[in-house]
């Protein structure tokens, strides 16, 4: 046997070993990815059981199986409602369950699941005989054109919150008579808080990387 | 000039057209983003019929800094300095709201000494905010003396806060699970002495505006907001308590060591500017009580941050796959944070619920039908901060 044969044999053995290691690594990676995928999402709040269930039970009586899931948001009960029952659920919460304070209406974008989650945070002021109580109502709308009912008739303050959610996330509130942008300039294109928002490289001549930009290059800002 | 085609205001037109609506002619006045009385970059589109405001539309966004988007880029704790700059007059409460939301989500136990430091720093910040309100509200009315009195006392409080935190506005003092560092030696005695001094001045400062006939005529019955309107609009804080609703997060949704203190909630029923002004003045008196009790109950020793969150360990926290909504009673209302975490070092979604955003929504209700001079007074009585509205 010559030296080259030895080398070749050694090289072949090393290659085999390297292939085995790579295969093992790929298998581990694939397993991890499968685990990640198998994690039950998109309900981060679903896993814990809510502490106070009176409001959730009453809501379930009202809308039946349109109450898709319940959960716990760090001590505050959450109700996941189907989009078609959103108006009924919110009206019920406002009028029958006495949730008269609306801290905010907002949303969260989940592009991997193709869902735009719209979130109403409610609070009932304390009255004689009971303490204040919290409730959050969430609706999962399709991400491309999310349409949910507007609650300006229930809570006047929702007008600006819904405008903000429309401006930053693109959620359309049906029945809002004045749905237009509130923070971004009027001609802005795109909804900034979406995960796939294209953070443009330049804005009226100012470049993110610091180079000089010519003024008449089209940017995201057009009157 | 780069203006949109539909822009109708004076700079572009050669003849200024009166707005015609329903057969009536109104003048459109822009109380523009740069204005000494709008408390920030707020634009009010007013339609006037002579001196009477027919329609008032606030236009926002001049201070929008896309903080909620920025939050998604860095780690959880790196957002803390950015919270300071939202309601830049009460940086402590912004920090605290964010901390409360994170502590509820991550289930962090805050040590008692840290809670007391939080309360004292927070209440001192409430004092500075109300002093600023007193000063600027006086200026809105045309009274200059309250400004100097209020700011002179405010400087003393800010000096103490600077000694504690190192900054006058952007404190960045709180961390998840506690505060940045312990109180300097002798600081508590200084606070105690200062509170005695401020309480002596308080009556004099109140009288500057309270006893003035012109102020009374300009404030009483102006900018009325009924309780139902205030609740429906989402107004909180002194705006809500000036309209008769007795609600304060420190009492009704208590956090930290607030249950251990004895204090009242001032409430006035009239819902006008005078009521809101009185609520804030009386809140300051309650603040002196709270601070005194906090100093008396202050624990002698103890950690100031929860275990596992000291130093740089806080950079690497990965909160569990949960959400939370944590809120505190800031000097101007309910300041809350909605956090969504997906077990990563970066926030997935972070929403700041601003008190001034909802409070400002009450302005058209208060102002439409009243004279334009009352617009400035009503806006001043709301005590808004644009950093919190636009974020």
């Amino acid at each position: 046997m010559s030296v080259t044969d030895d080398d070749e044999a050694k090289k072949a053995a090393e290659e085999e070993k390297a292939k085995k290691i790579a295969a093992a690594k790929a298998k581990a990676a694939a397993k991890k990815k499968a685990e990640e995928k198998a994690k039950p999402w998109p309900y981060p709040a679903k896993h814990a059981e809510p502490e106070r269930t009176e409001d959730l039970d009453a809501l379930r009586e009202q809308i039946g199986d349109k109450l898709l899931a319940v959960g716990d948001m760090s001590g505050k009960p959450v109700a996941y409602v189907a989009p078609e029952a959103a108006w009924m659920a919110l009206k019920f919460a406002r009028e029958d369950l006495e949730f008269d304070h609306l801290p905010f209406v907002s949303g969260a974008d989940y592009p991997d699941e193709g869902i735009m989650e719209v979130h109403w945070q409610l609070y009932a002021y304390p009255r004689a005989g009971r303490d204040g109580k919290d409730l959050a109502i969430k609706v999962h709308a399709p991400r491309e054109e999310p349409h949910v009912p507007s609650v300006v008739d229930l809570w006047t303050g929702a007008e600006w919150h819904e405008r903000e959610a429309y401006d930053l996330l693109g959620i359309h509130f049906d029945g809002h008579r004045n749905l237009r942008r509130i923070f971004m300039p009027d001609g802005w294109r795109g909804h900034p808080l979406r995960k796939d928002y294209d953070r443009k490289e330049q804005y009226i001549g100012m470049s993110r990387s610091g180079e000089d930009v010519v003024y008449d290059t089209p940017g995201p800002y057009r009157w | 000039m780069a203006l949109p085609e539909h822009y109708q205001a004076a700079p572009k037109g050669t003849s200024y057209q009166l707005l015609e609506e329903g057969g009536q002619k109104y003048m459109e006045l822009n109380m523009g983003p740069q204005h000494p009385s709008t408390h920030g970059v707020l634009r009010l589109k007013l339609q006037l019929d002579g001196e009477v405001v027919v329609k008032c539309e606030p236009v926002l966004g001049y201070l929008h800094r896309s903080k909620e988007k920025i939050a998604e880029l860095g780690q959880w704790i790196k957002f803390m300095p950015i919270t300071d700059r939202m309601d830049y007059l009460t940086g402590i409460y912004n920090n605290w709201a964010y901390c409360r939301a994170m502590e509820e989500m991550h289930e962090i136990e805050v040590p008692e000494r840290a809670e007391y430091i939080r309360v004292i720093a927070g209440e001192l910040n409430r004092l500075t905010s109300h002093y600023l309100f007193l000063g600027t509200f006086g200026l809105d009315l045309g009274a200059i003396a309250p400004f100097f009195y209020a700011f002179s006392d405010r400087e003393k409080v800010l000096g103490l806060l600077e000694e504690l935190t190192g900054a006058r506005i952007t404190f960045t003092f709180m961390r998840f699970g506690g505060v940045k560092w312990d109180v300097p030696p002798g600081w508590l005695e200084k606070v105690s002495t200062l509170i005695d001094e401020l309480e002596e001045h308080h009556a004099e400062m109140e009288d500057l505006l309270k006893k003035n006939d012109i102020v009374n005529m300009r404030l009483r019955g102006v900018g009325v907001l009924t309780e139902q309107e205030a609740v429906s609009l989402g107004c909180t804080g002194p705006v809500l308590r000036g309209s008769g609703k007795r609600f304060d997060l420190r009492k009704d949704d208590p956090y930290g060591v607030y249950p251990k203190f004895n204090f009242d909630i001032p409430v006035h029923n009239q819902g006008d500017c005078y009521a809101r002004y009185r609520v804030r003045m009386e809140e300051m008196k309650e603040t002196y009580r709270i601070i005194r009790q906090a100093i008396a109950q202050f624990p002698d020793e103890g950690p100031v941050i929860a275990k596992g969150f000291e130093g740089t360990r806080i950079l690497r926290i990965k909160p569990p796959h949960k959400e939370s909504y944590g809120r505190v009673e800031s000097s101007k209302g309910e300041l809350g944070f909605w956090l969504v975490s997906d077990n990563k070092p970066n926030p997935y979604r972070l929403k700041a619920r601003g008190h001034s955003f909802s409070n400002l929504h009450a302005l058209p209700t208060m102002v439409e039908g009243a004279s334009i001079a009352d617009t400035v007074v009503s806006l001043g009585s709301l005590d808004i901060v644009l950093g919190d509205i636009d974020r």
Side-chain angles (χ1 to χ4, degrees):
Chain A
M1 286 248 219
S2 66
V3 181
T4 45
D5 276 341
D6 262 338
D7 276 344
E8 274 189 32
K10 235 198 265 176
K11 232 201 281 184
E14 279 180 28
E15 271 184 38
E16 275 240 24
K17 198 160 149 213
K19 249 196 252 172
K20 272 207 199 131
I21 294 178
K25 271 210 193 129
K27 209 162 136 200
K31 188 161 160 224
K32 191 157 174 219
K33 210 168 167 187
E35 264 179 53
E36 289 270 353
K37 243 183 135 73
K39 243 196 245 166
W41 199 107
Y43 302 100
K46 189 182 181 181
H47 301 290
E49 283 309 312
E51 297 162 359
R52 277 191 60 256
T53 51
E54 293 104 37
D55 297 320
L56 296 171
D57 294 333
L59 195 59
R60 183 173 285 120
E61 265 183 46
Q62 179 74 9
I63 57 177
D65 59 351
K66 304 277 198 230
L67 179 66
L68 302 174
V70 297
D72 168 86
M73 193 169 103
S74 303
K76 302 177 167 59
V78 184
Y80 290 87
V81 175
E84 53 278 5
W87 171 249
M88 255 176 55
L90 288 160
K91 195 166 148 78
F92 181 66
R94 169 75 174 89
E95 291 172 0
D96 298 295
L97 297 178
E98 294 176 345
F99 282 101
D100 42 5
H101 178 47
L102 179 71
F104 66 90
V105 180
S106 190
D109 189 20
Y110 292 101
D112 296 331
E113 288 82 7
I115 278 173
M116 176 70 70
E117 179 181 272
V118 188
H119 179 110
W120 287 266
Q121 183 73 33
L122 306 172
Y123 182 73
Y125 281 122
R127 289 196 192 189
R130 69 156 173 83
D131 287 331
K133 44 183 187 159
D134 303 274
L135 178 65
I137 294 183
K138 285 179 187 283
V139 162
H140 286 196
R143 200 170 161 268
E144 301 315 314
E145 277 279 320
H147 280 265
V148 287
S150 162
V151 292
V152 283
D153 297 319
L154 300 173
W155 295 276
T156 330
E159 189 190 333
W160 280 11
H161 285 122
E162 291 176 355
R163 274 180 69 187
E164 180 188 344
Y166 166 67
D167 186 3
L168 299 176
L169 285 159
I171 304 171
H172 290 261
F173 290 90
D174 304 323
H176 190 291
R177 294 168 280 272
N178 195 11
L179 196 65
R180 55 197 168 87
R181 291 193 180 266
I182 192 171
F183 288 146
M184 308 309 289
D186 285 328
W188 202 265
R189 286 181 286 191
H191 298 281
L193 275 177
R194 288 188 170 232
K195 299 286 177 189
D196 58 354
Y197 175 70
D198 179 13
R199 285 160 64 215
K200 302 292 193 282
E201 194 47 50
Q202 57 186 330
Y203 171 67
I204 317 186
M206 295 177 283
S207 140
R208 263 186 28 216
S209 45
E211 293 140 6
D212 281 340
V213 184
V214 192
Y215 252 91
D216 45 53
T217 324
Y221 192 32
R222 209 176 279 226
W223 285 108
Chain B
M1 214 171 156
L3 288 174
E5 293 83 43
H6 61 268
Y7 205 72
Q8 292 295 328
K12 199 167 174 190
T14 48
S15 68
Y16 190 86
Q17 299 282 354
L18 283 179
L19 202 74
E20 182 128 7
E21 222 175 81
Q24 281 267 43
K25 287 200 170 177
Y26 301 121
M27 170 169 152
E28 185 160 35
L29 182 69
N30 196 38
M31 202 161 145
Q34 301 120 319
H35 192 285
S37 290
T38 52
H39 296 273
V41 275
L42 169 68
R43 177 170 162 219
L44 291 179
K45 279 169 74 164
L46 300 170
Q47 274 182 28
L48 300 175
D49 176 21
E51 279 273 319
V52 174
V53 174
V54 168
K55 186 165 163 214
C56 166
E57 188 199 327
V59 178
L60 312 176
Y62 289 94
L63 196 51
H64 180 63
R65 292 160 287 182
S66 61
K67 293 185 168 208
E68 299 175 1
K69 187 82 178 178
I70 291 175
E72 298 171 11
L73 302 177
Q75 287 116 351
W76 290 93
I77 191 64
K78 292 203 173 171
F79 190 66
M80 192 64 80
I82 302 185
T83 60
D84 279 328
R85 289 146 173 85
M86 285 202 300
D87 175 1
Y88 35 76
L89 298 175
T90 54
I92 295 277
Y93 284 117
N94 299 42
N95 292 159
W96 200 345
Y98 186 41
C99 284
R100 187 181 180 199
M102 173 57 84
E103 282 149 17
E104 286 184 359
M105 184 159 76
H106 205 51
E107 285 163 25
I108 309 176
E109 281 276 341
V110 183
E112 207 185 354
R113 194 176 163 97
E115 289 282 14
Y116 276 94
I117 299 178
R118 280 183 176 183
V119 167
I120 298 180
E123 294 298 325
L124 285 175
N125 214 187
R126 187 183 300 266
L127 283 181
T128 60
S129 170
H130 285 327
Y131 276 129
L132 189 130
F133 161 76
L134 176 59
T136 56
F137 195 49
L139 281 180
D140 284 341
L141 293 169
I144 310 192
F147 184 79
F148 293 114
Y149 278 73
F151 271 66
S152 145
D153 280 344
R154 182 172 185 256
E155 284 300 308
K156 296 174 192 157
V157 181
L158 275 180
L160 279 183
L161 278 171
E162 186 180 4
E163 194 179 330
L164 174 67
T165 65
R168 286 162 55 97
I169 290 187
T170 54
F171 306 112
T172 322
F173 184 53
M174 309 247 180
R175 301 279 183 275
F176 307 136
V179 295
K180 188 159 122 186
W181 52 44
D182 207 343
V183 293
W187 189 76
L188 288 173
E189 286 78 28
K190 286 189 198 166
V191 173
S192 191
T193 329
L194 182 66
I195 293 296
D196 293 334
E197 190 188 327
L198 293 179
E199 201 159 5
E200 279 174 28
H201 292 176
H202 186 80
E204 188 184 3
M205 198 128 25
E206 271 191 299
D207 288 345
L208 282 172
L209 283 183
K210 194 168 70 167
K211 293 204 169 160
N212 189 316
D213 282 334
I214 299 179
V215 164
N216 269 295
M217 284 201 295
R218 282 204 72 182
L219 292 187
R220 287 189 192 272
V222 165
V224 177
L225 193 67
T226 63
E227 182 182 335
Q228 203 178 11
E229 284 171 346
V231 169
S232 182
L233 285 160
C235 298
T236 49
V239 178
L240 187 64
R241 291 194 281 278
S243 293
K245 182 109 193 157
R246 178 186 201 80
F247 181 75
D248 189 317
L249 279 171
R250 296 174 291 172
K251 283 265 190 197
D252 299 299
D253 184 12
Y255 47 95
V257 289
Y258 273 112
K260 297 192 185 171
F261 301 131
N262 225 348
F263 61 100
D264 294 323
I265 309 294
V267 175
H268 284 257
N269 285 336
Q270 300 87 15
D272 56 9
C273 294
Y274 190 73
R276 288 186 283 273
Y277 155 73
R278 291 301 307 149
V279 163
R280 290 191 182 98
M281 291 294 108
E282 287 166 18
E283 265 183 18
M284 284 167 72
K285 284 207 269 233
E286 300 302 321
T287 299
Y288 301 137
R289 278 173 77 180
I290 298 176
I291 297 183
R292 278 218 187 84
Q293 290 171 49
I295 294 180
Q297 297 173 19
F298 203 83
D300 288 324
E301 55 186 19
V304 290
I305 192 152
K307 233 173 134 36
F309 291 91
E310 321 94 319
T312 53
R313 262 174 272 187
I314 208 170
L315 277 171
R316 296 184 280 272
I317 58 167
K318 290 182 9 176
H321 204 68
K322 277 160 83 176
E323 303 181 5
S324 83
Y325 176 58
R327 52 200 184 147
V328 300
E329 180 78 24
S330 161
S331 62
K332 304 176 169 68
E334 169 188 332
L335 176 59
F337 274 87
W338 175 44
L339 306 179
V340 177
S341 145
D342 63 344
N343 200 16
K344 292 238 173 68
N346 293 19
Y348 188 82
R349 168 86 173 102
L350 185 152
K351 163 149 177 80
R353 190 266 177 197
H355 41 67
S356 297
F357 189 72
S358 299
N359 286 355
L360 183 63
H361 202 1
L363 187 68
T365 322
M366 283 164 41
V367 149
E368 282 169 7
S371 85
I372 190 174
D374 293 337
T375 309
V376 171
V377 172
S378 305
L379 185 60
S381 80
L382 284 176
D383 197 12
I384 55 168
V385 180
L386 258 298
D388 188 68
I389 296 176
D390 289 341
R391 283 165 262 127

